[in-house]
Amino acid sequence: MPLKVTKIDEYITVLQTPDYPFTSNSYLITLKNKEEKVNILVDPTPQQYFKDLVLSLNELIGGVENLDIIFLNHQDPDLSSSIAPLMDMSKNSILITSEDTWRLIRFYGLNRERFQPIEYFPNRRVILKTDDTLEFIHTPFCHFRGAWMLYIPERKALFSGDLLGGLSSKEPNGIYATENSWEGIKLFHEIYMPSKEALRLAVDKIGRLTPLPELILPQHGDIIRKNLILDFLAKLNDLEVGLDYLKKHEEQHQTYLFAFNEILQNIKIVIQTEIN
């Protein structure tokens, strides 16, 4: 099945894999003014959908060769496995990601001269020739040590990677989160985020953005709009995830096991008493 391509606004288009309900989202951002234009691809689709990605970019921007920037939140293959052929076809594009991510994705045979580490940008931001700003927000261990979000304050759009990602909503044709989306987000974070402390740090960083985002665009699942952003962030802040989640449920499991053994022991005593 081809990618699902949906225009979010004048500047942002989402390209979604058909792996419902656990879709992968890639985002094409086209920033422009009267004289300049910059095309940015955020978290490319997996290599499995590379041909569909190329065809979609042909329709949207006239071809892969018109990409200027490719941004990666982290190194997982569902967003990095197509990076090598993409950069081969887009000879003038640069790759922006963290040094931590680069250490792993360089094994795809990428050219370091076309890699721009986030850590080298002063104040972790860059102003484009369109006068738009790219801000990079470090979210360590959510879920990767070198994960960085991309924020475009002029558009109030935050590209959050796995943070706030989850299963898609039950609306077959919907791309936006509803209150029902929380269960998919909750499950995803319980499994993939390592600790409550790491998650709270990331939530705090989002809350400090100026201006506050009105769109959060994760790499998986539904796009979150302003009416749900604060609600979902508040829920994330109190969520038990990763080691905390496992420890909590392990303790519950041990309690149930102890109680079950106690019941068995009491049954044995009763049986033994009746026999005697």
Side-chain angles (χ1 to χ4, degrees), residues 1 4 8 24-25 29 35 53 77 85 92-93 111 121 128 136 150 157 161 172 182 196 225-226 230-231 240 261 269:
M1 293 177 64
K4 178 182 177 182
I8 295 172
S24 290
N25 302 330
I29 311 167
E35 299 177 352
L53 176 61
N92 296 318
S93 64
N111 182 355
F121 287 118
L128 302 175
F136 305 102
L150 171 64
W182 169 249
K196 190 173 185 176
R225 292 185 282 192
K226 54 185 177 181
L230 291 180
D231 180 36
E240 300 286 349
N261 287 333
I269 293 173

Side-chain angles (χ1 to χ4, degrees), residues 64-65 67 70 85-93 114:
V64 178
E65 63 273 15
L67 284 176
I70 301 171
L86 266 178
M87 297 199 72
D88 283 342
M89 294 181 69
S90 57
K91 300 294 184 183
N92 296 318
S93 64
R114 295 175 61 192

Side-chain angles (χ1 to χ4, degrees), residues 83-102:
I83 191 70
L86 266 178
M87 297 199 72
D88 283 342
M89 294 181 69
S90 57
K91 300 294 184 183
N92 296 318
S93 64
I94 63 168
L95 171 64
I96 298 179
T97 191
S98 67
E99 285 279 10
D100 290 308
T101 297
W102 173 258

Side-chain angles (χ1 to χ4, degrees), residues 4 22 24-26 37 39 81 83 91-92 95 101 146 164 172 185 187 202-203 205 211-212 241 245 270:
K4 178 182 177 182
F22 194 61
S24 290
N25 302 330
S26 180
K37 179 186 289 188
N39 292 313
S81 57
I83 191 70
K91 300 294 184 183
N92 296 318
L95 171 64
T101 297
L164 283 158
I185 295 171
L187 177 62
V203 169
K205 288 188 176 185
L212 286 172
V241 299
Y245 176 79
V270 170

Side-chain angles (χ1 to χ4, degrees), residues 237-255:
N237 202 53
D238 293 327
L239 190 64
E240 300 286 349
V241 299
L243 292 175
D244 307 310
Y245 176 79
L246 290 175
K247 183 178 178 182
K248 176 181 177 181
H249 284 266
E250 184 176 311
E251 289 172 351
Q252 289 179 345
H253 177 74
Q254 291 298 326
T255 301

Side-chain angles (χ1 to χ4, degrees), residues 7-27:
K7 200 167 184 63
I8 295 172
D9 59 26
E10 181 183 354
Y11 306 96
I12 304 169
T13 302
V14 59
L15 302 93
Q16 295 178 305
T17 64
D19 305 312
Y20 187 83
F22 194 61
T23 59
S24 290
N25 302 330
S26 180
Y27 299 96

